[in-house]
Amino acid sequence: MRCRRCGGAAVLELRRHNAAFCAPDFLAFFRNQVREAIRRHRMFTHDEPVLVAVSGGKDSLALWDVLIEEGYRTTGLYLDLGIFDYSVESRARCEAFAAARGAPLMVVRVADEVGAPVPVIKEVTRRPPCSGCGLSKRYLMNKVALEHGFPVVATGHNLDDEAATLLGSVLHWQIDALARQAPALPATHPKLVRRVKPLYRLSELETAAYAFLRRIDYIVEECPFARGATSLAHKELLSRLEEASPGAKHNFLFGFLERARPAFERVEAATLQECTRCGQVTTGPVCAFCRLADQVKRAVGAGRA
Ligand code: Q46
Ligand code: ZN
């Protein structure tokens, strides 16, 4: 196997690109894909401070690494979900990563904001853990960014994540989710910051290879609640398709973004208002996060009484 660029010995074969690369040329390919994503969707400039949401996993740390290498003004944000050893270990990886590069990292504990960690939220709400967790993460990323003057939050979602989300939304014809699925979501309200996914052009295999070649120490274990999540079933299904027909995932996601998504886009801004409790953007009088926090604090308070 020869590198497509230099003809030297290749270390990685990318079937969907019908190409193989040596280590330095793969890293260059990876950075180019990130540059292309940022340029094409005008995600951010070198003058803007960027808040990078990091979980301690390969994708978000690979993203932070590329953005630092590319000279962006980044700050990491680690949301401590309070999920047993998984949170302890993943926080340690983020702190070590930041310390090694002299990069600023903010840590926010979900328990301080909602009233309890994710495993307790799950018990109180009797809903799948990812439901309260996802809601809290989206809310807190936006809140922290607003409070600290970041115009944009970057997350490590890769091509596989995005294709799996798309499949889930299509299977249930969730029109709102389809309208919101994009590599870059603009700030449609003064209290919303831009949300961008600079890794959306890169597969999970590619981000893993990047993290490995850059010697990034990331947490390999998945969140214990990820097991059994439907998004994993969707990922497996797409990977089988990819196996049979390399490029299938890419065509599914990019075909949607380029040809189908415009049909789902609607003007959302008209329905947005500010939560009467916390002031963040919502569609009703009190936002879903404040309602969740009320429910959790009531239940935790009753348990203590
Ligand atoms: S952290 Fe939270 Fe994920 Fe764990 S509980 Fe679900 S949403 S799986 S990315
Ligand atoms: Zn609120």
Side-chain angles (χ1 to χ4, degrees):
M1 231 176 19
R2 298 265 139 216
C3 171
R4 177 205 262 185
R5 289 230 175 115
C6 70
V11 294
L12 193 76
E13 186 186 12
L14 302 182
R15 284 178 68 206
R16 74 187 176 100
H17 290 290
N18 205 5
F21 291 106
C22 69
D25 284 327
F26 170 72
L27 293 175
F29 158 84
F30 192 93
R31 290 191 191 105
N32 269 334
Q33 292 294 327
V34 175
R35 263 183 230 139
E36 176 63 14
I38 296 172
R39 188 195 61 78
R40 195 180 276 232
H41 298 278
R42 297 202 185 106
M43 291 183 174
F44 39 76
T45 66
H46 278 91
D47 299 324
E48 291 177 300
V50 182
L51 189 62
V52 185
V54 288
S55 67
K58 63 185 182 326
D59 302 300
S60 56
L61 290 183
L63 170 63
W64 199 8
D65 185 78
V66 190
L67 296 184
I68 291 172
E69 289 288 302
E70 294 285 308
Y72 286 102
R73 293 171 54 195
T74 59
T75 296
L77 169 64
Y78 176 75
L79 294 175
D80 186 339
L81 308 169
I83 303 179
F84 320 117
D85 286 353
Y86 167 73
S87 287
V88 177
E89 300 248 327
S90 56
R91 176 178 174 161
R93 303 295 156 97
C94 293
E95 287 175 338
F97 179 99
R101 289 159 182 81
L105 173 71
M106 295 199 290
V107 176
V108 172
R109 289 177 67 233
V110 164
D112 291 339
E113 303 289 328
V114 191
V118 167
V120 177
I121 299 177
K122 163 186 167 269
E123 294 304 322
V124 169
T125 56
R126 299 209 184 100
R127 301 200 45 184
C130 298
S131 150
C133 181
L135 164 68
S136 304
K137 286 199 282 194
R138 282 191 301 278
Y139 177 93
L140 291 172
M141 280 179 210
N142 191 67
K143 180 169 178 257
V144 173
L146 273 181
E147 285 175 356
H148 293 85
F150 291 93
V152 55
V153 175
T155 57
H157 293 96
N158 60 39
L159 174 55
D160 295 58
D161 298 323
E162 292 299 281
T165 304
L166 175 60
L167 181 60
S169 305
V170 166
L171 289 175
H172 297 99
W173 289 116
Q174 289 163 328
I175 304 299
D176 291 349
L178 288 168
R180 276 193 314 262
Q181 172 136 16
L185 279 179
T188 50
H189 185 281
K191 289 213 167 163
L192 283 179
V193 302
R194 209 149 72 232
R195 276 181 295 158
V196 299
K197 301 165 183 167
L199 299 186
Y200 83 99
R201 309 174 66 82
L202 291 151
S203 73
E204 200 155 303
L205 176 92
E206 289 155 12
T207 59
Y210 179 89
F212 175 77
L213 292 171
R214 292 281 299 157
R215 296 200 171 86
I216 295 172
D217 182 21
Y218 62 86
I219 182 161
V220 178
E221 297 83 56
E222 291 257 16
C223 164
F225 293 129
R227 267 174 249 133
T230 41
S231 58
L232 273 194
H234 295 156
K235 268 193 182 174
E236 278 166 24
L237 200 70
L238 286 165
S239 291
R240 263 189 273 154
L241 264 179
E242 181 75 23
E243 193 56 36
S245 154
K249 267 183 223 174
H250 178 279
N251 293 342
F252 178 53
L253 179 66
F254 282 61
F256 167 77
L257 292 175
E258 283 156 22
R259 296 198 292 278
R261 185 173 177 268
F264 294 97
E265 271 177 307
R266 282 186 299 176
V267 186
E268 269 186 304
T271 58
L272 294 179
Q273 51 180 291
E274 288 177 21
C275 169
T276 51
R277 301 277 293 284
C278 71
Q280 293 258 23
V281 171
T282 175
T283 48
V286 177
C287 78
F289 180 86
C290 284
R291 281 183 276 131
L292 174 70
D294 276 352
Q295 190 187 359
V296 170
K297 283 171 189 161
R298 258 200 317 272
V300 172
R304 280 205 196 104

